[in-house]
C-alpha cells in the first residue's frame, strides 16, 4: 500500500466520477476503507459536477492526487472529462473505469489524455483489482512531487489600468490568484497589514508573504516563481515570442535535442492565448480555450527541456560572425547558432478621442477574460469583425446582458469563419451593427459612453457603455529588427522566395544557396507565424510554421 503523505496542509484528494449512484457509492466506500486516513475522498455524479468541484479545489489551493472516472456518462464521457481535468490539475494521476465492452475506449484514453490506468467493472475483490491500481497512482503522484498550490492575493481598484494589467498578467501565465477590491473588508485588511494605502495599489501578496506595492511585471514574475533569467549564455536556438508559432518551435526544437530558449515579453500564448474558445483547431472537436492550449504547449516544451522566459523584452538582434546575438531591454545579451522570430502581431490602437485615456479602465485590447464576471448586467461592445472578435463575443455573452459587435464593413462573412458567424446568429443577446465605427469614448474614472458613427449615413449616436473590447487589424512587432532583415511595406518580415528579386539573392547574403523557405535575409534567422509576410493568420498554421522552422534550423546547422 502506498504510504499516505504527512501533515502538510489539507489532505490530498481522491476524486471519483460516476453517474450510477450505486457504483459511485461503492467505489467511494472502498476507497475510504483503505485511504481515508491520508486522503479526502470526493465523488461526483457527472463530468460537469466534477469539473466544478475541481475548480473550487483549485481556488482553495488544495491538491488532487488521483481522479477515477467512469467512461459511459451522458453529456460528457470519461475521456472528455479527464481531458479537461488535466488542464486544472496536470499532476493528478488519471484512471478510467470501464465495462469489459469498453476496453477500446480505455486504450483510446491512454493515447488521447495520457490515462495512467484503466479499471474494469466490477473490481471485486478490491484488494486484488482496485487497491493495487490506486496505490500505483498515488506512488506516481508522490514521486513527481506534487505540492500545494500557494495562493497569490491581489488588491486593487476595479477601474484601474495597473490593477487590470497585473490580473491579466497572472491569468495569462496560469498563476493562481485571488482578487480583492481595495474597498472590500479583506482588501482593506491586506492593505493595512502591508502598511499600504490606496496610492500603493495594485498590492500583490505572493506565496512568500512579502507584499509588492505597484510592482512592475518583471518584479511580479520573479515573485510568483516565473522564470526570467537564462541559465546560459549560448544556445543552439533562441526563439523570440511565445505565441503558437514560438511554442511550436520550442516543442520541436527541444524534443529534437537542440538547446532551446524562448523569450517572451509578457505571457506565452500570444493573441491566441486570450481566445475564450478556438473551435476549428485540429483534434479538438469540442473546442479548446486559448489558455488551455497555451498551458499544454508550455508544459510540453518544458518537459523536453526548453527554457521559457517571461518579461524579457528583446530590443535588438545582431549577426556577429556565425553567432546570432539577442539583446534584451536591460542591456543583457545571449547568443545562439540560430534564431526563430515569432513575435506575432498586436491589435492596432483605436484612434478616437478618449480611448487612450480610458484604456484599462473600460477599454481593453484583446479578450481580457479576467473582466468576464464583472460584465454581468452590462452592455459589452466588441470592435472588430475577425475570428478573435467573434470568439470574444461568444465568451462575453455568458455574462453580459447584451453584446454588440461593431463592424466597419457590411457584414461578418468576409473576415470571420463561417462556423462563428452561424454560432453568433444563434445567441439571442448578441447583436451585430454593420457600417459602424467608434469615433469617441467618454468617461471620468472609467468608460461610460461611446460615440458611434454610421458610415452609410454619417449619423453619430451616443450609447451608454462600461466595457469595450478592441480587435482591429494586426500590426507586426518588428521595429527591433530595423536595419537587419528585409520587411514588406506593412512591416512583416520577408522570407524565402519572397527575398529573391529576378532570381537575385538579397544584398549582403553570404551563403552559396538561396534562403530557405522561412529564412529571413540574414542566414540563420528564421520567421514563423503571423509576423511573417504573407502568412496564414491561423493558430494551426502558426504551430506548423514553428515546427517547420526547426527542421530548417537543422538544415542550416548541418551546412554550417
Amino acid at each position: 500500500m502506498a504510504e499516505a503523505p504527512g501533515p502538510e496542509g489539507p489532505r490530498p484528494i481522491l476524486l471519483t466520477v460516476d453517474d450510477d449512484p450505486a457504483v459511485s457509492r461503492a467505489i467511494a466506500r472502498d476507497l475510504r476503507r483503505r485511504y481515508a486516513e491520508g486522503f479526502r475522498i470526493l465523488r461526483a455524479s457527472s463530468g460537469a459536477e466534477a469539473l466544478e468541484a475541481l475548480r473550487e479545489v483549485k481556488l482553495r489551493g488544495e491538491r488532487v492526487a488521483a481522479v477515477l472516472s467512469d467512461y459511459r456518462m451522458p453529456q460528457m464521457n470519461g475521456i472528455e472529462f479527464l481531458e479537461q481535468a488535466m488542464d486544472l490539475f496536470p499532476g493528478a494521476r488519471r484512471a478510467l473505469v470501464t465495462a469489459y465492452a469498453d476496453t477500446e475506449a480505455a486504450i483510446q484514453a491512454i493515447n488521447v489524455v495520457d490515462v495512467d490506468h484503466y479499471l474494469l467493472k466490477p473490481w471485486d475483490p478490491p484488494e486484488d483489482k482496485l487497491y493495487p491500481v490506486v496505490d500505483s497512482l498515488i506512488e506516481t503522484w508522490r514521486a513527481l512531487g506534487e505540492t500545494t498550490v500557494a495562493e497569490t492575493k491581489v488588491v486593487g481598484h476595479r477601474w484601474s489600468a495597473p490593477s487590470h494589467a497585473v490580473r491579466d498578467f497572472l491569468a495569462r501565465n496560469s498563476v493562481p490568484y485571488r482578487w480583492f477590491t481595495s474597498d472590500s473588508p479583506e482588501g482593506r485588511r491586506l492593505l493595512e497589514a502591508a502598511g499600504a494605502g490606496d496610492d500603493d495599489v495594485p498590492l500583490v501578496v505572493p506565496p512568500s508573504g512579502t507584499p509588492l506595492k505597484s510592482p512592475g511585471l518583471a518584479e511580479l514574475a520573479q515573485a510568483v516563481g516565473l522564470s526570467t533569467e537564462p541559465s546560459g549564455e549560448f544556445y543552439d536556438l533562441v526563439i523570440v515570442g511565445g505565441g503558437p508559432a514560438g511554442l511550436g518551435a520550442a516543442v520541436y526544437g527541444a524534443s529534437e535535442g537542440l538547446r532551446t530558449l524562448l523569450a517572451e515579453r509578457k505571457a506565452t500564448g500570444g493573441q491566441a492565448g486570450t481566445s475564450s474558445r478556438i473551435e476549428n483547431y485540429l483534434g479538438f472537436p469540442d473546442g479548446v480555450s486559448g489558455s488551455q492550449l497555451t498551458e499544454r504547449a508550455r508544459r510540453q516544451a518544458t518537459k523536453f527541456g526548453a527554457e521559457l522566459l517571461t518579461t524579457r523584452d528583446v530590443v535588438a538582434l545582431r549577426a556577429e560572425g556565425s553567432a546570432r546575438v539577442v539583446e534584451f531591454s536591460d542591456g543583457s545579451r545571449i547568443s545562439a547558432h540560430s534564431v526563430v522570430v515569432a513575435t506575432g502581431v498586436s491589435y492596432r490602437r483605436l484612434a478616437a478621442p478618449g480611448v487612450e485615456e480610458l484604456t484599462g479602465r473600460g477599454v481593453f485590447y484583446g479578450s481580457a477574460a479576467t473582466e468576464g464576471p464583472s460584465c454581468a448586467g452590462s452592455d459589452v461592445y466588441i470592435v472588430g469583425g475577425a475570428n478573435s472578435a467573434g470568439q470574444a463575443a461568444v465568451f462575453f455573452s455568458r455574462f453580459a446582458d447584451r453584446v454588440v459587435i461593431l463592424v466597419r464593413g457590411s457584414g461578418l462573412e468576409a473576415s470571420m469563419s463561417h462556423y462563428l458567424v452561424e454560432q453568433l446568429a444563434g445567441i439571442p443577446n448578441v447583436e451585430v451593427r454593420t457600417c459602424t465605427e467608434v469615433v469617441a469614448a467618454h468617461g471620468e474614472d472609467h468608460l461610460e459612453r461611446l460615440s458611434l458613427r454610421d458610415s452609410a449615413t454619417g449619423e453619430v449616436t451616443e450609447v451608454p457603455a462600461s466595457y469595450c473590447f478592441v480587435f482591429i487589424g494586426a500590426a507586426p512587432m518588428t521595429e527591433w529588427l530595423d536595419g537587419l532583415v528585409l520587411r514588406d511595406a506593412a512591416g512583416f518580415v520577408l522570407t524565402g522566395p519572397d527575398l529573391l528579386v529576378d532570381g537575385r539573392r538579397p544584398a549582403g547574403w553570404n551563403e552559396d544557396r538561396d534562403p530557405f523557405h522561412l529564412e529571413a535575409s540574414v542566414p540563420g534567422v528564421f520567421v514563423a507565424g503571423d509576423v511573417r509576410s504573407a502568412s496564414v493568420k491561423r493558430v494551426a498554421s502558426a504551430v506548423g510554421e514553428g515546427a517547420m522552422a526547426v527542421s530548417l534550423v537543422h538544415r542550416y546547422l548541418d551546412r554550417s
Side-chain angles (χ1 to χ4, degrees), residues 238-247 249 262-264 270 339-345 477 480 526-532 542 546:
V238 167
I239 303 157
V240 184
L247 287 169
L262 182 151
E264 166 56 45
V339 170
V340 171
V341 176
T343 47
V345 295
M477 297 182 282
W480 59 285
F526 298 85
V527 187
D530 291 359
V531 72
R532 190 176 66 83

Side-chain angles (χ1 to χ4, degrees), residues 272-273 275-281 284 286-290 293 391 419 539:
S275 295
S276 56
R277 204 77 182 161
I278 304 169
E279 299 202 43
N280 59 350
Y281 190 76
F284 292 88
D286 299 317
V288 61
S289 73
L293 194 62
Q391 290 158 354
Y419 82 90
V539 177

Side-chain angles (χ1 to χ4, degrees), residues 137-195:
L137 294 173
I138 293 171
E139 288 167 2
T140 302
W141 174 76
R142 296 189 65 218
L144 293 176
E146 184 76 0
T147 58
T148 302
V149 177
E151 182 180 76
T152 294
K153 299 180 178 69
V154 181
V155 182
H157 301 312
R158 179 187 177 191
W159 299 114
S160 161
S163 295
H164 167 74
V166 164
R167 294 169 63 200
D168 186 60
F169 177 81
L170 293 174
R172 292 188 58 191
N173 282 287
S174 300
V175 177
Y177 74 93
R178 185 166 298 195
W179 162 253
F180 304 95
T181 58
S182 57
D183 57 358
S184 67
E186 183 62 20
R188 299 307 306 174
R189 282 193 288 269
L190 287 168
L191 288 172
E192 184 178 347

